């Protein structure tokens, strides 16, 4: 709740992972020894949270297709050739699906967020953004191991996994 942090509403804050003040996330993961595939999975997770959290979402240039070059004082050209690699093309595809969801789904225009806590394992979080007659549920496993994360869905309506279909469920 952004109001607990001194904001008048959630839409007075900016939600982001990277900016001109931080090193690129994929670069940090690479330096920490994560494989490219795991780094991209973690980046998709971060983008999913950024693009479904209440507030103004900011995605730093190149984050959407795996830019990981070090930031330097001076020119920092984007490496569009990343899109020639399947792993980064898939990252970009997931980014486009999440962006379409963010811009089209009515639940992502509200401040309503409900966290599910029943039986959610350690290193996981499940939350729902709500609007009248509509909702977006986000389930995230922050751990490195695969684990089952229970997700409570409304019994009415249809649900789709946006990152599996790459189509916003609207």
């Amino acid at each position: 709740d952004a109001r607990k942090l001194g904001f008048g509403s959630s839409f007075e804050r900016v939600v982001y992972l990277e900016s001109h003040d931080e090193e690129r996330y994929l670069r940090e993961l690479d330096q920490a020894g994560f494989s490219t595939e795991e780094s991209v999975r973690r980046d998709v997770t971060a983008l999913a949270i950024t693009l479904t959290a209440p507030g103004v979402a900011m995605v730093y240039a190149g984050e959407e297709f795996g830019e990981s070059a070090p930031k330097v004082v001076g020119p920092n050209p984007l490496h569009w050739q990343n899109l020639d690699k399947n792993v980064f093309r898939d990252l970009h595809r997931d980014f486009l699906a999440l962006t379409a969801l963010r811009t089209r789904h009515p639940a992502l225009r509200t401040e309503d967020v409900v966290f599910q806590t029943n039986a959610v394992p350690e290193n996981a979080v499940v939350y729902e953004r709500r609007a009248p007659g509509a909702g977006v549920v986000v389930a995230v496993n922050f751990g490195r191991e695969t684990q089952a994360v229970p997700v409570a869905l409304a019994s009415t309506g249809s649900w789709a996994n946006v990152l599996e279909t790459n189509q916003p469920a609207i």
Side-chain angles (χ1 to χ4, degrees):
D1 187 344
R3 291 169 291 218
K4 291 180 182 175
L5 300 172
F7 295 96
S9 83
S10 296
F11 299 104
E12 292 178 358
R13 70 186 190 108
V14 177
V15 182
Y16 65 95
L17 177 66
E18 294 180 14
S19 77
H20 64 276
D21 290 327
E22 291 88 23
E23 188 53 84
R24 292 191 177 275
Y25 184 56
L26 286 177
R27 181 163 182 77
E28 289 179 347
L29 291 172
D30 180 57
Q31 291 174 332
F34 289 90
S35 70
T36 299
E37 289 74 19
E38 184 172 0
S39 295
V40 167
R41 281 194 309 272
R42 288 175 175 270
D43 198 38
V44 169
T45 298
L47 284 167
I49 293 169
T50 299
L51 294 169
T52 61
V56 177
M58 179 180 77
V59 177
Y60 193 67
E63 183 181 355
E64 71 276 20
F65 59 81
E67 184 62 66
S68 63
K71 293 181 188 173
V72 296
V73 175
N76 283 282
L78 296 177
H79 295 89
W80 292 97
Q81 65 270 24
N82 281 4
L83 290 169
D84 294 338
K85 298 177 184 171
N86 287 339
V87 68
F88 296 120
R89 197 169 33 252
D90 291 347
L91 167 62
H92 189 249
R93 184 196 65 225
D94 289 343
F95 167 77
L96 293 174
L98 288 164
T99 301
L101 180 70
R102 171 136 186 127
T103 58
R104 297 179 190 161
H105 202 288
L108 298 179
R109 293 186 201 107
T110 72
E111 292 187 83
D112 191 7
V113 180
V114 176
F115 284 85
Q116 296 179 16
T117 57
N118 190 23
V120 175
E122 187 176 333
N123 294 324
V125 67
V126 178
Y127 61 92
E128 183 177 0
R129 298 284 306 277
R130 295 179 178 172
V136 171
V137 175
V138 180
V140 178
N141 174 11
F142 292 107
R144 293 185 84 171
E145 302 300 322
T146 300
Q147 64 178 331
V149 178
V151 177
L153 300 174
S155 59
T156 59
S158 61
W159 292 88
N161 183 333
V162 173
L163 295 179
E164 284 182 1
T165 64
N166 293 109
Q167 300 293 320
I170 304 191

